[in-house]
């Protein structure tokens, strides 16, 4: 298997040249994101990803975790890596300093997270969800809960999980049965079963804080009666030391298609002691703070597996010799040319390269919106950023995971028959990437959320803001004829397709909701291509300016332009195909009776 190579130059390009984080003085913490600071952080994070985490990836794929006496035992290599992350402060990079974090912006944590996930996705899920627990408690928890839990989560001494799904209900949380009964002292007895709980039980941290959705006995029916509780594995004392073992347990480890190194648990709660997070019957509000962050993280996971699979396949294509170039031998002194001479191999590699580099820009742009929502000094800008990231979250999750999986499959194809043999490692990226399309809200649900909730939110203000931003960018750069032909015109065409799809939803969807729902996934992909076309066009402006200024990195910027042109010529036009499908409405989908299938 090829060694993982941290994309440090590409991350610097995204952060400092395209997004220009260091120049956004109105966002707290951004002026501190100098190239020297981020360079040092990213270089060290890259070393850890390459040298410490990446070697765990193959090992984790062959793990058969066992549940022994209620404890999931992980290998020593996991403990060594987890302790290194904890001791280096990586578990609290963007957490508040008052709880022991480093207070860095979310965008820097996101850049680090991509490298960590690309190196070892299954392993990084152990500390990964803890960040969402931190966010949920910091926003909705009482001061007592914050002071008790957050320092331990930030330090990595404790980890966290989210518990939503039950055997009989996943997306439809109105069917939730886990119950909570008041103990009379401010705590509750939590009883029920949760399934598919990532990192629900392990031996990497001394305690695990489970965030559990449950229904308080006597509360309203449906989603209006759901509350959120923190239910720890060990009940902490007031000073943070551990007390008695709580009455909860992992009942089973799931056997999965991928992410074998992560313990996916069935969790049983038998009158376990828990404490309310937020208000009674407002659990979804608190949980969505965590879920929305988790959805961005899962989008990053899809992207990261595409990155890792691309690096792996590229190394193989440059080394493997098969056949001759159609235009004549490239290396006549060799028995055959490398796979790199074949146009269809090039097609798959260019699809991957243009996606992962554009996807990285898109994901980091979304991360800057998270920062702006929390850190911008202007409340109007905070509100605008909040609307925009709410709109983009299902696209980040759905599009990046769909395309990340597609990329992993294409990269497996480059290996030919060897891609189907486990020893090459190509199949792991496919199997690991597949889950990202399912958990934290299956991608079909993300598409429905996009058209049903996010588009109409506040009268469509978020979509109007996105369209306005793209139009302003097009106007500002229309004087460059070469840029216009290669980047701006394709972006404009894709944006028009998106607006035409919106008009279809407005005209048809109000009369027949199925007409909108039938096109929801197509619209999510259409919008994903618009977003990547937009960030690629922004990258092209930067690259052209650098070349005009006489940079000594000509090859880097010329490669950026060539890769961006490929995306605009070969991938962005998919918006027209998606629009055509949207406009067929629901009739083709609903034509058959159930028994005709």
């Amino acid at each position: 298997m090829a060694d993982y190579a941290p994309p440090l130059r590409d991350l610097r390009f995204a952060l400092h040249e395209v997004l220009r984080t260091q120049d956004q003085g109105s966002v707290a913490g951004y002026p501190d994101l100098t190239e020297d600071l981020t360079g040092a952080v990213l270089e060290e994070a890259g070393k850890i990803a390459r040298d410490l985490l990446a070697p765990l990836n193959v090992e984790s794929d062959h793990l058969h975790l066992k549940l022994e006496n209620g404890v999931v035992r992980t290998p020593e290599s996991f403990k060594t890596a987890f302790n290194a992350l904890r001791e280096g402060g990586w578990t609290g990079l963007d957490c508040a300093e008052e709880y022991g974090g480093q207070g860095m912006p979310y965008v820097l944590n996101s850049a680090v997270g991509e490298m960590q996930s690309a190196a070892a996705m299954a392993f990084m899920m152990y500390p990964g969800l803890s960040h969402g627990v931190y966010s949920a408690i910091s926003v909705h928890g009482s001061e007592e809960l914050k002071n008790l839990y957050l320092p331990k989560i930030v330090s990595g001494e404790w980890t966290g999980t989210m518990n939503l799904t039950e055997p009989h209900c996943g997306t439809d949380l109105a069917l939730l049965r886990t119950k909570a009964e008041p103990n009379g002292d401010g705590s509750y007895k939590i009883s029920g079963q949760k399934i598919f709980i990532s990192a629900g039980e392990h031996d990497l941290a001394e305690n695990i804080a489970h965030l559990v959705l449950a229904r308080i006995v006597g509360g309203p029916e449906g989603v209006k009666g759901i509350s959120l509780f923190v239910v720890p594995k060990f009940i902490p004392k007031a000073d943070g030391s551990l007390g008695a073992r709580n009455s909860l347990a992992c009942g089973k480890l799931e056997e999965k298609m991928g992410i074998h190194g992560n313990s996916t648990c069935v969790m049983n709660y038998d009158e376990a002691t828990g404490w309310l997070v937020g208000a009674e019957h407002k659990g979804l509000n608190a949980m969505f703070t965590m879920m929305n962050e988790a959805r961005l993280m899962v989008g990053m996971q899809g992207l990261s597996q595409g990155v890792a699979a691309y690096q792996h396949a590229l190394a193989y294509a440059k080394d493997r010799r098969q056949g001759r170039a159609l235009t004549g031998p490239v290396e006549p002194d060799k028995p055959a040319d490398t796979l790199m001479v074949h146009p269809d191999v090039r097609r798959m590699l260019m699809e991957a390269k243009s996606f992962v580099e554009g996807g990285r820009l898109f994901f980091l742009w979304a991360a800057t919106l998270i920062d702006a929502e929390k850190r911008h000094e202007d409340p109007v800008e905070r509100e605008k950023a909040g609307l925009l990231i709410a709109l983009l979250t299902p696209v980040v999750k759905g599009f990046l995971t769909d395309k990340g999986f597609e990329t992993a499959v294409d990269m497996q194809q480059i290996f030919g028959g060897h891609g189907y043999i486990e020893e090459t490692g190509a199949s792991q990226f496919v199997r690991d990437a597949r889950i990202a399309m399912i958990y934290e809200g299956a991608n079909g649900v993300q598409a429905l959320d996009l058209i049903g909730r996010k588009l109409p939110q506040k009268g469509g203000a978020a979509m109007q803001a996105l369209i306005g931003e793209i139009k302003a960018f097009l106007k500002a750069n229309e004087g460059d004829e070469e840029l216009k032909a290669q980047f701006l015109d394709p972006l404009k065409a894709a944006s028009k397709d998106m607006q035409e799809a919106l008009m279809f939803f407005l005209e048809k969807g109000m009369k027949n909701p199925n007409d909108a729902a039938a096109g929801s996934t197509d619209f999510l992909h259409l919008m994903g291509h618009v977003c990547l076309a937009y960030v690629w066009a922004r990258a092209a402006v930067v690259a052209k300016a650098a070349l005009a200024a006489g940079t000594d990195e000509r090859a880097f910027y010329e490669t950026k332009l060539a890769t961006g042109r490929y995306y605009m010529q070969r991938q962005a036009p998919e918006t027209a195909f998606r629009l055509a499908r949207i406009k067929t409405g629901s009739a083709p989908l609903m034509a058959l009776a159930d028994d005709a299938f």
Side-chain angles (χ1 to χ4, degrees):
M1 179 178 283
D3 293 335
Y4 172 67
L8 299 179
R9 181 65 185 91
D10 215 47
L11 288 169
R12 293 200 308 273
F13 175 73
L15 291 174
H16 295 294
E17 298 179 68
V18 179
L19 299 173
R20 299 199 63 80
T21 53
Q22 71 278 8
D23 295 336
Q24 296 182 39
S26 298
V27 180
Y30 272 39
D32 296 330
L33 293 182
T34 64
E35 291 194 54
D36 287 344
L37 174 66
T38 60
V41 171
L42 293 175
E43 184 175 358
E44 184 61 26
K47 287 179 182 177
I48 292 172
R50 182 191 63 219
D51 301 337
L52 185 63
L53 301 181
L56 301 180
N57 209 40
V58 174
E59 179 184 2
S60 74
D61 193 41
H62 294 90
L63 277 182
H64 291 280
L65 294 169
K66 290 183 172 58
L67 182 62
E68 300 175 348
N69 298 319
V71 178
V72 174
R73 302 294 182 187
T74 59
E76 285 302 315
S77 56
F78 276 35
K79 296 180 179 67
T80 298
F82 191 87
N83 287 336
L85 292 177
R86 183 167 56 200
E87 291 164 7
W90 299 104
T91 54
L93 188 63
D94 68 328
C95 297
E97 293 177 83
E98 65 182 299
Y99 300 116
Q102 299 184 48
M104 296 288 186
Y106 182 78
V107 70
L108 184 59
N109 189 63
S110 299
V112 169
E114 184 215 309
M115 292 190 286
Q116 293 173 335
S117 181
M121 175 177 161
F123 169 79
M124 284 307 302
M125 291 171 65
Y126 287 102
L129 280 172
S130 300
H131 195 284
V133 175
Y134 165 87
S135 296
I137 293 177
S138 65
V139 173
H140 301 282
S142 65
E143 288 302 314
E144 183 180 5
L145 288 181
K146 292 178 188 178
N147 293 330
L148 183 58
Y149 283 88
L150 297 188
K152 297 290 188 179
I153 291 172
V154 169
S155 69
E157 294 172 78
W158 299 354
T159 60
T161 72
M162 57 192 296
N163 289 234
L164 289 79
T165 305
E166 299 181 4
H168 59 284
C169 74
T171 301
D172 190 357
L173 291 172
L175 302 176
L176 183 143
R177 294 176 186 161
T178 299
K179 65 178 182 179
E181 299 177 85
N183 282 323
D185 62 356
S187 67
Y188 292 76
K189 289 184 291 189
I190 310 298
S191 299
Q193 186 179 79
K194 300 289 185 176
I195 64 171
F196 306 154
I197 309 306
S198 299
E201 169 54 41
H202 58 82
D203 60 358
L204 297 175
E206 65 182 21
N207 203 6
I208 304 173
H210 301 284
L211 286 188
V212 181
L213 284 181
R215 192 182 304 281
I216 296 175
V217 174
E221 294 297 319
V223 294
K224 293 181 179 180
I226 296 174
S227 300
L228 180 66
F229 301 87
V230 58
V231 189
K233 177 179 177 180
F234 291 94
I235 298 175
K237 299 177 183 177
D239 62 359
S241 62
L242 298 184
R245 179 74 154 83
N246 211 345
S247 51
L248 60 90
C250 171
K252 176 188 174 185
L253 285 176
E254 302 289 3
E255 294 290 334
K256 308 183 297 292
M257 174 180 173
I259 55 169
H260 294 150
N262 193 263
S263 55
T264 304
C265 301
V266 174
M267 297 299 300
N268 296 319
Y269 297 88
D270 184 12
E271 296 191 346
T273 303
W275 287 265
L276 190 67
V277 178
E280 288 187 357
H281 316 313
K282 300 294 183 182
L284 289 187
N285 292 343
M287 183 58 87
F288 270 113
T289 297
M290 185 176 186
M291 284 189 67
N292 286 332
E293 182 175 304
R295 286 169 176 171
L296 293 171
M297 182 188 78
V298 171
M300 176 269 289
Q301 287 180 332
L303 170 66
S304 74
Q305 295 314 287
V307 170
Y310 167 67
Q311 289 189 7
H312 191 47
L314 178 62
Y316 182 80
K318 288 182 175 181
D319 181 69
R320 176 75 168 174
R321 294 186 179 276
Q322 289 284 288
R324 291 294 189 184
L326 296 176
T327 52
V330 173
E331 296 181 90
D333 58 325
K334 303 290 184 181
D337 293 329
T338 70
L339 291 176
M340 296 297 292
V341 305
H342 302 301
D344 198 56
V345 172
R346 289 266 182 161
R347 174 190 63 81
M348 289 186 283
L349 289 171
M350 285 300 293
E351 291 281 300
K353 181 176 174 63
S354 63
F355 162 66
V356 299
E357 293 183 13
R360 179 178 293 122
L361 286 168
F362 177 38
F363 172 65
L364 292 176
W365 171 40
T368 65
L369 294 173
I370 293 282
D371 283 327
E373 182 184 19
K374 295 178 179 178
R375 293 169 170 256
H376 203 288
E377 64 184 23
D378 186 344
V380 174
E381 291 299 319
R382 290 200 298 271
E383 182 181 11
K384 178 183 174 182
L387 280 172
L388 198 49
I389 191 56
L391 175 71
L392 295 180
T393 292
V395 185
V396 171
K397 197 280 184 185
F399 185 70
L400 292 187
T401 59
D402 278 352
K403 292 291 289 183
F405 175 74
E406 178 185 317
T407 298
V409 172
D410 280 350
M411 297 303 94
Q412 183 187 35
Q413 186 75 11
I414 288 174
F415 283 80
H418 293 285
Y420 204 67
I421 303 301
E422 287 298 316
E423 67 186 33
T424 66
S427 72
Q428 182 182 356
F429 302 119
V430 174
R431 289 183 285 102
D432 286 357
R434 186 64 182 89
I435 185 58
M437 302 161 71
I438 299 172
Y439 62 12
E440 305 306 340
N443 285 356
V445 175
Q446 301 301 318
L448 288 174
D449 177 55
L450 175 62
I451 66 162
R453 295 179 180 173
K454 302 304 172 57
L455 290 183
Q457 191 173 17
K458 292 200 173 181
M463 180 55 78
Q464 291 171 20
L466 176 62
I467 292 171
E469 184 168 328
I470 292 172
K471 285 182 176 179
F473 172 81
L474 292 170
K475 182 70 174 176
N477 293 281
E478 63 185 0
D480 186 327
E481 289 299 322
E482 183 181 56
L483 184 74
K484 183 175 182 297
Q486 296 177 352
F487 288 90
L488 303 187
D489 286 348
L491 171 59
K492 187 176 183 179
S495 182
K496 284 187 173 181
D497 287 340
M498 181 174 70
Q499 292 174 69
E500 189 171 342
L502 287 169
M503 291 304 299
F504 175 85
F505 289 152
L506 286 173
E507 293 172 4
K508 303 291 185 180
M510 297 295 288
K511 299 175 183 176
N512 182 2
N514 279 345
D515 281 340
S520 59
T521 291
D522 285 302
F523 184 76
L524 185 147
H525 276 254
L526 192 164
M527 190 170 164
H529 281 298
V530 170
C531 290
L532 261 68
Y534 173 48
V535 294
W536 264 122
R538 290 175 63 178
V541 171
V542 171
K544 282 178 63 68
L547 290 169
T551 177
D552 57 0
E553 292 185 284
R554 291 197 65 84
F556 175 82
Y557 293 108
E558 287 172 349
T559 299
K560 273 282 175 256
L561 286 170
T563 307
R565 284 194 296 268
Y566 180 91
Y567 192 89
M568 293 303 201
Q569 293 169 356
R570 298 279 301 228
Q571 296 209 56
E574 187 179 310
T575 58
F577 157 71
R578 296 287 180 176
L579 174 62
R581 284 165 55 118
I582 289 168
K583 292 170 73 173
T584 64
S586 60
L589 279 68
M590 311 303 287
L592 295 182
D594 291 357
D595 58 4
F597 279 88

